[in-house]
Amino acid sequence: MKVPETVFVNRATVFVVEDDYNLVHGIRDILELHNYQVLTAMNGIEGLQVLRTCETLPDIIVSDIMMPGMNGYEFLEEVRKDMRWAAIPFIFLTARGEKADVRAGKSMGVDDYMVKPFNAEDLLIVIDARLKRRKELDKIHSTEIGTVKQNILTILNHEFRTPLTYLVAYADMLNQDTQALSFDELNIFLHAINVGAERMRRLIENFILLVELETGEGKKNFDQRKKLLDDPKALVNALNSIAEKAQGLAEVKHITLRIEPLSEPLPEVIADIEYLKIALYRLVDNSIKFTTLPNTVIKLSVYTSDSGELCFSVLDQGRGIPANELQAIFEMFYQVDRSTFEDQGAGAGLSIVKKIAQLHKGHVSVQSEVGQGSCFTLRLPPSDH
C-alpha cells in the first residue's frame, strides 16, 4: 500500500477485524501513522471478545467479510444486537464486489464498503467521513436530549412545585392548631390540599403514560388488548363515560358537554378501547382547559369520514390556536405561549393522543381559529378483516 501524503489529525479508535495477518498489520501501521488508535482481531469471535473487554469502545469498526470461525456478516449481526455497540459505524472490507454482497451487508445495517485491493488514502477518507457523520449525529442527539432535559426541568420547577406548595403549605397549617380553625377554614384547607393532590396525580399519570408509550410497553399493551369494535353502542358508551368523567371540570367553568347523536352507520375498527378512552378524554380535557368563556358548549361526536375512517371529534369555543403553532402542539411538552397564559399541565396530553392514534395506525388533526375555538379529530382506519 502507498502511504498518502494527506495527513488526518485524529485520536479516534479504529477497530480492525481481518484474518489476513499482513493486511491487518499494514492497515494498523497506516492508521497509527495518521494518529488513529487501533484495536485488532483476526475474526468475529475475537472481535466480540475485544468489544466486551476493551476499556473504551472503538469509534468505528472495519471488518473483513470472509473470516474463519465467525464471518463478517455474523459479526455485524452480533454487534447490532448489543445496544452498547449498535451505533458504532461499521465498514466492510471485501474481496468481492458483487452487488449481492453489498445488498446483504446494507440490509443488515453496514455503513460502507471497501473492495480489496483498495488505496490507503481511500480507506482513510471513508473512515474520516464516517467519523465526521457520527459526530454530527451525536451533536444532533445531544441537542435533542438537551431540549428534553430543559423541558423536564421547566416542568419539574413549575408544574410539580406548585401542587407541592399547596400540599405542604396547607398541611402545615392544619398541623399547627386545628382547634383554632373554624369548620369553613378546615374545608378551605382540605379543598386546597385536594386540588394540589389531584394536579400532582394527573401530572404523574401523564408522565407514566408517556414513558409507557415511548418505551414499547404501549405497543405490547395494544397488541394484547386490541379487538374488533363493531358495535356503535360501545363507542357511544365510551363517549358517555368520558363526558361523565370530565363533567366536574366542565361544571366548574360553566361549560356544557354535549354528545351529538349518531346519524349514520359506523365502520368497524381494530382498537384498544382503554387507550381510545384515554386519548378521547385527553382531547376533552384539553378543550375544557383552553375554554375560558362561561356558558359555552363542547361538542363530542363520532361519525364516518368520506374516506371511510371512524372519526371522533371534539369541538370547543376556546381561545383557539395560532396557525403557526398547529403542528407543534402535538409534540411532547409543548404548550401554546406558555409564558403568556401560564397554563397548568406539562404539555403532554396531545402528545399522548398522537402516540395512541399512531398505535391504531390512525392520526389526529386540528382545525382552529384564534378567538373562535378548535376542533380536534381522531381518525381510525376501518378494519380490513
Side-chain angles (χ1 to χ4, degrees):
M1 293 182 185
K2 179 183 176 182
V3 178
E5 296 179 0
T6 306
V7 177
F8 296 82
V9 180
N10 286 286
R11 287 304 293 166
T13 299
V14 181
F15 183 21
V16 181
V17 185
E18 166 65 62
D19 66 327
D20 186 318
Y21 180 85
N22 293 324
L23 181 58
V24 75
H25 283 275
I27 293 173
R28 185 183 65 185
D29 291 344
I30 291 170
L31 293 174
E32 289 179 342
L33 183 63
H34 288 77
N35 209 31
Y36 285 103
Q37 298 181 77
V38 182
L39 300 172
T40 62
M42 299 301 291
N43 56 50
I45 295 173
E46 288 185 16
L48 292 177
Q49 184 63 24
V50 170
L51 288 174
R52 293 185 183 113
T53 58
C54 62
E55 292 185 6
T56 304
L57 289 175
D59 297 287
I60 191 167
I61 298 172
V62 179
S63 174
D64 189 20
I65 291 180
M66 303 305 295
M67 298 182 293
M70 176 183 287
N71 64 35
Y73 294 129
E74 295 166 333
F75 178 52
L76 172 60
E77 185 176 10
E78 292 301 314
V79 168
R80 291 294 186 248
K81 285 179 182 178
D82 195 307
M83 291 300 295
R84 296 171 297 171
W85 314 331
I88 300 175
F90 200 109
I91 298 173
F92 268 147
L93 300 179
T94 177
R96 300 181 180 181
E98 290 90 348
K99 291 183 178 180
D101 291 329
V102 175
R103 286 195 298 267
K106 288 188 174 181
S107 69
M108 297 172 65
V110 75
D111 296 283
D112 218 329
Y113 265 86
M114 291 293 296
V115 178
K116 295 184 287 187
F118 50 82
N119 180 281
E121 186 169 11
D122 289 340
L123 176 62
L124 290 168
I125 289 172
V126 169
I127 290 174
D128 188 63
R130 288 299 169 187
L131 288 173
K132 284 181 178 177
R133 181 55 180 160
R134 171 73 183 276
K135 288 181 181 179
E136 291 171 357
L137 293 174
D138 286 346
K139 185 177 180 180
I140 292 170
H141 182 66
S142 296
T143 301
E144 291 174 345
I145 293 297
T147 301
V148 171
K149 285 181 178 178
Q150 185 59 50
N151 286 330
I152 290 174
L153 287 174
T154 299
I155 291 162
L156 289 174
N157 185 52
H158 178 72
E159 296 303 329
F160 279 92
R161 187 189 298 272
T162 302
L164 276 174
T165 300
Y166 269 95
L167 291 169
V168 174
Y170 283 100
D172 187 53
M173 285 189 284
L174 282 174
N175 284 329
Q176 288 179 7
D177 187 5
T178 55
Q179 299 298 324
L181 297 175
S182 68
F183 181 77
D184 289 340
E185 287 173 327
L186 282 172
N187 270 340
I188 291 171
F189 290 178
L190 290 172
H191 175 72
I193 290 173
N194 185 63
V195 168
E198 177 61 20
R199 184 169 169 183
M200 182 71 75
R201 182 187 64 79
R202 286 158 59 87
L203 285 167
I204 292 172
E205 282 183 352
N206 276 346
F207 270 101
I208 291 173
L209 188 53
L210 275 176
V211 170
E212 183 179 300
L213 294 169
E214 285 284 345
T215 58
E217 286 301 312
K219 180 65 166 60
K220 291 180 183 178
N221 291 337
F222 175 80
D223 289 338
Q224 291 173 356
R225 299 190 308 223
K226 67 181 179 181
K227 62 180 182 179
L228 181 67
L229 297 184
D230 55 0
D231 183 3
K233 290 182 180 179
L235 300 176
V236 174
N237 289 339
L239 289 180
N240 283 327
S241 66
I242 290 162
E244 184 177 344
K245 183 178 178 181
Q247 190 62 43
L249 296 173
E251 287 179 352
V252 170
K253 302 182 75 171
H254 304 287
I255 296 170
T256 300
L257 300 180
R258 180 184 300 162
I259 299 177
E260 299 293 282
L262 295 178
S263 59
E264 55 193 13
L266 298 175
E268 298 178 352
V269 297
I270 300 294
D272 174 354
I273 193 66
E274 296 304 317
Y275 272 156
L276 191 55
K277 286 181 179 179
I278 288 171
L280 294 175
Y281 178 76
R282 292 303 188 280
L283 290 180
V284 175
D285 180 66
N286 185 76
S287 288
I288 294 172
K289 182 188 299 182
F290 294 102
T291 298
T292 54
L293 293 176
N295 303 316
T296 54
V297 176
I298 293 177
K299 297 180 181 179
L300 288 64
S301 57
V302 55
Y303 60 92
T304 306
S305 71
D306 292 339
S307 57
E309 298 169 306
L310 177 65
C311 299
F312 298 89
S313 72
V314 179
L315 175 66
D316 65 51
Q317 296 171 287
R319 66 178 183 237
I321 305 163
N324 64 328
E325 299 194 72
L326 287 175
Q327 293 304 314
I329 61 173
F330 294 104
E331 300 306 315
M332 196 183 306
F333 305 135
Y334 188 85
Q335 280 193 350
V336 177
D337 206 352
R338 178 193 288 269
S339 59
T340 299
F341 293 104
E342 282 295 318
D343 296 310
Q344 292 185 12
L350 292 180
S351 178
I352 289 171
V353 175
K354 178 182 177 181
K355 295 179 187 302
I356 290 176
Q358 290 171 341
L359 281 179
H360 288 78
K361 295 184 171 56
H363 63 282
V364 60
S365 60
V366 60
Q367 293 178 311
S368 187
E369 186 176 345
V370 174
Q372 299 298 315
S374 305
C375 182
F376 287 85
T377 304
L378 175 63
R379 303 171 185 272
L380 305 183
S383 170
D384 57 0
H385 77 286

